[in-house]
Structures are given as structure tokens and as C-alpha cells.
């Protein structure tokens, strides 16, 4: 164990969920490298926050199934990656009942955020062609 | 404490990764709430947007971008070492390479975000 990544979590030797989660963190990390950086660049470099009114979002930015799908995929990846990451952090610092409570809160917040984001990206009418 | 305890780059890289990850997660919570309002209550959203476009808002966006870029670059560094464990011997050099890319991309990015606030 002399050589270790020194900032990543060592690959779990147990297999099962922990190993799958370890791999998923890396796969979603690669996806987010593209998804999150493209999203941030669009919102801050290509466009400017001052123009991004709700009308602009629905008539321009989200007037395309591709960009809605892109942002929804980003939401899905960021919720799972962030949730699994915070799960690791929580389990590093808390034990017993407090850990259970914190993890339950985390599950709940992750689910609520995912549902809220999905509702807004899917329910607003697509004004195509306007 | 961060710089003295075991001292080396690997630990600071780990601590920054964790701190930036938690910060990004908090922003994601805020961001989903505000974008939900854009659909549910557009007037409230447009008011929140005024903060995003203000000078303090832009400074926070630069910090968000910095956290995102650091987390993304260091994440790639971690994955490279996971795939090729022999690279672990160069973990410090890779971390400094990260900072070179971070400054190279981050400074122009920060300038673009702050430009309207600077009147340029």
C-alpha cells in the first residue's frame, strides 16, 4: 500500500454495491466532465446571466429536445454522482444513528431534487418554431 | 492544519476535491430550486436572476466555476491513477499540471464572467 492514489477512494475489495458505486463514480465523472463544463460554458461564456429570463429559457434555451435532454442527463448524473460522493463523506464522519439520519436525509433530498428538475424540464411546453 | 498535517500535495488535493464537491452539490440544490421556479413562478425566478447577474452574483459564479474546474481536473487525475496505478508515482506533477490548466482556462473564464460588472 505504499503507492496510493492519495486523493481518490481506494477501489473496494468487497465487490457488490460498493464496487459498483466506485465504478459508477468514475463513469459519471467522465460524463460530468463533458456535461457540466459544457453547461457552465453555455450559461456563462456563450450566453450571459443577464439575458436568461424565464421567457428566454423556455423560448430559446430549451426550445430544443436536444438541449432539454442534455440538461436532463446532466441532472441525472449530477444527482447520482453528488449523492454517492456525499454518501462517502457522510460515512467518513458519522456513525450509528446520526449516520442513518444523515443518509436518509440525503436519499430524500436527492430524490426530491431529481423529481423537481425532471418536472420542470419535461412539463414546460415546447414552443418549437416560434 | 491543511498545509502542515502530513503536508504534501496529495492531502491538499484530496481536501480541495471534497470541499469543492460539497460546494458544487449545494449549488446544484439551489439551482434546481431556482429553475423549478422558472417553470412554476416566472416572476420570482426573474427576480432571483437579477442577483445572478449582479456583481456579487458574478463573483460567486467565478468561485463556482473554479470549484467545478478544480473538481473536474482533479477527478481526471484520480481516474488516470486508478487506471494506471504506476502513475501514482507522479501524483504531485499531475497535480501541478492541473493547476497550470486551471489557471490557463480559469483566468480568461473569470474575465468573461466579470466583464459586464467591470463595464468592459
Amino acid at each position: 500500500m505504499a503507492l496510493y492514489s492519495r486523493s481518490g477512494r481506494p477501489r473496494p475489495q468487497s465487490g457488490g454495491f460498493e464496487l459498483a458505486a466506485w465504478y459508477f463514480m468514475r463513469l459519471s465523472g467522465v460524463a460530468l466532465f463533458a456535461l457540466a463544463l459544457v453547461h457552465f460554458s453555455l450559461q456563462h461564456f456563450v450566453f450571459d446571466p443577464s439575458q436568461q429570463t424565464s421567457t428566454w429559457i423556455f423560448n430559446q434555451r430549451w426550445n430544443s429536445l436536444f438541449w432539454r435532454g442534455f440538461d436532463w442527463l446532466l441532472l441525472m448524473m449530477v444527482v447520482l454522482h453528488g449523492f454517492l460522493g456525499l454518501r462517502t463523506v457522510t460515512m467518513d464522519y458519522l456513525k450509528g444513528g446520526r449516520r442513518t439520519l444523515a443518509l436518509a436525509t440525503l436519499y430524500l433530498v436527492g430524490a426530491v431534487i431529481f423529481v423537481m428538475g425532471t418536472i420542470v424540464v419535461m412539463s414546460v411546453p415546447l414552443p418549437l418554431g416560434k | 492544519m491543511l498545509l502542515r498535517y502530513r503536508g504534501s500535495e496529495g492531502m491538499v488535493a484530496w481536501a480541495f476535491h471534497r470541499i469543492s464537491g460539497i460546494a458544487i452539490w449545494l449549488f446544484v440544490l439551489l439551482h434546481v430550486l431556482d429553475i423549478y421556479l422558472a417553470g412554476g413562478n416566472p416572476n420570482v425566478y426573474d427576480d432571483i436572476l437579477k442577483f445572478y447577474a449582479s456583481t456579487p452574483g458574478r463573483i460567486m459564479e467565478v468561485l463556482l466555476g473554479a470549484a467545478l474546474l478544480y473538481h473536474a481536473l482533479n477527478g481526471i487525475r484520480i481516474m488516470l491513477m486508478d487506471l494506471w496505478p504506476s502513475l501514482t508515482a507522479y501524483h504531485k506533477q499531475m497535480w501541478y499540471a492541473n493547476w497550470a490548466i486551471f489557471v490557463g482556462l480559469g483566468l480568461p473564464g473569470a474575465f468573461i464572467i466579470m466583464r459586464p460588472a467591470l463595464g468592459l
Side-chain angles (χ1 to χ4, degrees):
Chain A
M1 292 263 198
L3 290 181
Y4 241 106
S5 74
R6 306 219 62 192
S7 59
R9 179 184 175 212
R11 186 156 64 104
Q13 303 301 307
S14 57
F17 176 78
E18 290 302 327
L19 186 64
W22 187 89
Y23 275 110
F24 184 80
M25 278 310 266
R26 272 117 194 107
L27 287 173
S28 58
V30 174
L32 283 167
F33 188 89
L35 292 167
L37 292 181
V38 167
H39 179 87
F40 187 88
S41 302
L42 274 178
Q43 305 307 119
H44 296 280
F45 305 145
V46 177
F47 305 109
D48 189 80
S50 57
Q51 72 187 96
Q52 296 168 15
T53 58
S54 41
T55 320
W56 177 84
I57 294 174
F58 300 125
N59 290 343
Q60 310 287 326
R61 180 73 170 76
W62 273 357
N63 187 16
S64 139
L65 282 183
F66 175 81
W67 286 112
R68 285 200 194 201
F70 185 98
D71 283 348
W72 188 65
L73 193 60
L74 170 61
L75 173 75
M76 198 162 32
M77 286 294 147
V78 87
V79 166
L80 289 168
H81 187 96
F83 159 72
L84 284 173
L86 270 146
R87 177 180 167 271
T88 303
V89 174
T90 305
M91 297 204 301
D92 274 356
Y93 300 120
L94 297 177
K95 280 184 190 167
R98 299 172 92 177
R99 177 192 281 189
T100 310
L101 184 67
L103 287 178
T105 311
L106 195 59
Y107 286 122
L108 191 66
V109 169
V112 168
I113 286 298
F114 180 67
V115 169
M116 284 176 77
T118 302
I119 287 174
V120 71
V121 82
M122 292 193 176
S123 68
V124 174
L126 200 65
L128 284 173
K130 245 187 211 173
Chain B
M1 178 217 134
L2 204 58
L3 293 170
R4 302 268 315 261
Y5 175 73
R6 289 193 183 176
S8 90
E9 290 85 344
M11 189 200 151
V12 183
W14 171 86
F16 279 13
H17 199 74
R18 189 156 275 206
I19 294 165
S20 57
I22 294 169
I24 295 164
W25 176 250
L26 292 176
F27 173 73
V28 168
L29 299 186
L30 171 72
H31 185 41
V32 171
L33 292 177
D34 72 51
I35 215 69
Y36 185 76
L37 282 175
N41 197 336
N43 293 330
V44 176
Y45 168 81
D46 288 346
D47 283 342
I48 297 172
L49 182 70
K50 288 190 185 115
F51 176 73
Y52 282 120
S54 71
T55 303
R58 285 174 191 277
I59 292 171
M60 292 177 79
E61 281 148 29
V62 170
L63 292 174
L64 170 71
L68 196 63
L69 187 56
Y70 176 82
H71 200 86
L73 293 171
N74 193 56
I76 296 292
R77 171 179 161 275
I78 292 171
M79 282 184 268
L80 289 175
M81 292 189 293
D82 286 337
L83 283 172
W84 294 285
S86 56
L87 280 177
T88 306
Y90 303 101
H91 76 94
K92 289 184 188 179
Q93 286 88 336
M94 291 164 73
W95 196 58
Y96 287 117
N98 272 359
W99 282 114
I101 302 170
F102 179 88
V103 172
L105 293 176
L107 282 183
F111 176 73
I112 295 171
I113 293 173
M114 292 310 296
R115 196 165 44 184
L118 300 167
L120 296 169

